[in-house]
Amino acid sequence: MARGQAGQYGPYDDLKDFLRTLEKAGELRRITVPVDPTLELSEIVTRTVRAGGPALLFERPTRGEMPVAINLFGTHKRTAMALGVSSVDEIGDRIGSLVKPELPVGFAGMREGLGKLLQLKSVPPKKVKTAPCQEVVYRDGNVDLNRLPGLQIWPGDGGIFHNFGLTHTKHPETGKRNLGLYRLHQHSHNTLGMHWQIHKDSTAHHAVAERLGQRLPVAVAIGCDPVVSYSASAPLPGDIDEYLFAGFLRGERVEMVDCLTVPLQVPANAQIVLEGYVEPGERAPEGPFGDHTGFYTPVEPFPVLHITCMTTQRDPVYHSIVTSKPPQEDGGIGHATERIFLPLLKMLIPDIVDYHLPEAGVFHNCCIVSIKKRYPKHAQKVMSSIWGAHLLSLSKLIVVVDDDCDPHDYHEVAFRAFGNVDYSHDLLLTSGPVDHLDHSSYQQFWGGKAGVDATRKLPTEGYTRGWPEEMVMSPEIVARVDRRWKEFGL
């Protein structure tokens, strides 16, 4: 294991290297008794996550032929370890220090800034001829997904799911690669349902392939090094290569190898790779599935991946994740994304001082934003900007506070939102796109949204009463009580 940017952890050679590091740090527990991947394993993981417990390695799942690694990102500490830093804020600080201030603002500026950042610290993928992920090869009739200890997490799930498969596709016309993280519903020993949601890049690739009447080649990598696994979930613009981003985070290039049966590349050090294709026009029922929203998503028709080849390392470790209502392991991933992308969000919307995506809102139901208010209806301008900002556009509730309020301090945010708002003037109601998984919208894919202006109101906004001064103790008294505190015996 090499030393990372922070001089403490990573970058890791592969998933096993990360697991060794976690175990050495007391952050991993081995489960040596048999555990059923149907329901039992997920109940153990959920209790462990909610107790702030360690990553888990189930050595003897009663289904499948390999151990299961899970809860790797379940705390902020382990997520930081996965990304090679002491705190994920360090990565945001690195990005902020490298982004050029003269770049244009708006989405074009964000995209250009991220592109130039990755060029400045260029660590493109490195192609290799041989790879650990291809030490064992199963082709055609020898492919059997039952070798994998896929999970059934909830009683109402529609079967076995593979929840941390990194899905690779290419745009059929431009050749642009996409890496995404989607759940995979096991239909048979050699087919998977691809839960490609409407807003995702792989859905766009598949639509083009169908228009052209072509099969779409697909490769799924399971058990990658943790930086690559995180990068698959990152909300990058469509023309930014996730592997260039992973190389930036790692501080060194990601090794890639050509697949054996499809024209795609995958991480050379993945534990498991599934290669295959999606036929144009083919759909099969996918789901139900107990998702991170806390509810089952219904059965819907989705494309089917036909597996032509399955390759693994000699002694592979299967990586997965449990989904449920918060708190759950994906909280660490969401927190990392929030902090890492803050400097880029500021390029997109310079008005923003800080923001927070509450885990209880599953990271897209609510966005709390602080601004330095400068003019009438400034808060409403920021709301509109967020609703036009890449995947933040799916936010259902936006709460805007002044810059002296920490968006992460729920008590203070609630104090402002409950006390600073006249809902006949300061509530903005609109409609727009919502997440594919949103169950509350009366129509799928779009629904109502609300923006709450919890900032101090200006006379030019029609508030003519004179905004009251908030009570604050004088600094001299605070300092005096600090000096005398021990005298009081408190």
Side-chain angles (χ1 to χ4, degrees), residues 360-397:
V362 295
F363 302 107
H364 52 71
N365 284 340
C366 179
C367 179
I368 304 169
V369 181
S370 63
I371 65 170
K372 190 171 184 64
K373 187 170 179 177
R374 296 186 293 112
Y375 48 79
K377 299 299 179 181
H378 195 170
Q380 286 77 0
K381 181 259 189 185
V382 170
M383 295 172 195
S384 298
S385 298
I386 292 172
W387 281 322
H390 198 36
L391 289 182
L392 279 179
S393 64
L394 304 179
S395 302
K396 294 201 297 182
L397 172 65

Side-chain angles (χ1 to χ4, degrees), residues 90-140:
E90 296 173 23
I91 300 172
D93 292 342
R94 280 172 54 204
I95 292 174
S97 67
L98 291 168
V99 169
K100 302 296 184 183
E102 65 271 14
L103 287 171
V105 299
F107 187 74
M110 174 184 173
R111 186 170 53 207
E112 184 180 352
L114 184 54
K116 287 191 174 182
L117 169 68
L118 297 179
Q119 291 171 17
L120 180 65
K121 294 290 184 180
S122 184
V123 275
K126 174 184 178 182
K127 183 179 176 180
V128 297
K129 293 183 178 179
T130 61
C133 71
Q134 295 173 347
E135 290 173 338
V136 180
V137 179
Y138 305 96
R139 293 178 184 264
D140 302 322

Side-chain angles (χ1 to χ4, degrees), residues 16-188:
K16 294 174 184 173
D17 188 14
F18 181 47
L19 295 178
R20 286 191 293 268
T21 301
L22 290 177
E23 189 165 34
K24 185 177 180 180
E27 288 286 337
L28 181 139
R29 181 72 55 83
R30 294 176 181 266
I31 308 299
T32 59
V33 297
V35 174
D36 191 345
T38 299
L39 305 182
E40 185 179 36
L41 189 149
S42 66
E43 176 65 14
I44 296 168
V45 172
T46 297
R47 294 187 190 191
T48 303
V49 170
R50 292 177 180 172
L56 301 174
L57 184 64
F58 292 89
E59 295 184 331
R60 297 171 62 191
T62 58
R63 232 185 331 96
E65 300 177 355
M66 58 199 71
V68 178
I70 203 161
N71 196 26
L72 305 188
F73 297 93
T75 63
H76 293 179
K77 177 182 178 180
R78 279 200 301 281
T79 302
M81 291 176 68
L83 300 179
V85 292
S86 300
S87 166
V88 293
D89 289 292
E90 296 173 23
I91 300 172
D93 292 342
R94 280 172 54 204
I95 292 174
S97 67
L98 291 168
V99 169
K100 302 296 184 183
E102 65 271 14
L103 287 171
V105 299
F107 187 74
M110 174 184 173
R111 186 170 53 207
E112 184 180 352
L114 184 54
K116 287 191 174 182
L117 169 68
L118 297 179
Q119 291 171 17
L120 180 65
K121 294 290 184 180
S122 184
V123 275
K126 174 184 178 182
K127 183 179 176 180
V128 297
K129 293 183 178 179
T130 61
C133 71
Q134 295 173 347
E135 290 173 338
V136 180
V137 179
Y138 305 96
R139 293 178 184 264
D140 302 322
N142 292 319
V143 170
D144 187 0
L145 294 173
N146 294 312
R147 298 179 189 275
L148 309 179
L151 307 183
Q152 180 179 345
I153 298 175
W154 295 102
D157 285 354
I160 293 171
F161 287 82
H162 305 279
N163 296 335
F164 226 115
L166 278 55
T167 302
H168 300 71
T169 58
K170 279 186 179 179
H171 191 289
E173 293 177 326
T174 68
K176 182 67 181 176
R177 170 171 55 203
N178 180 66
L179 172 66
L181 181 60
Y182 315 105
R183 76 182 191 225
L184 308 166
H185 186 177
Q186 185 170 319
H187 291 325
S188 72

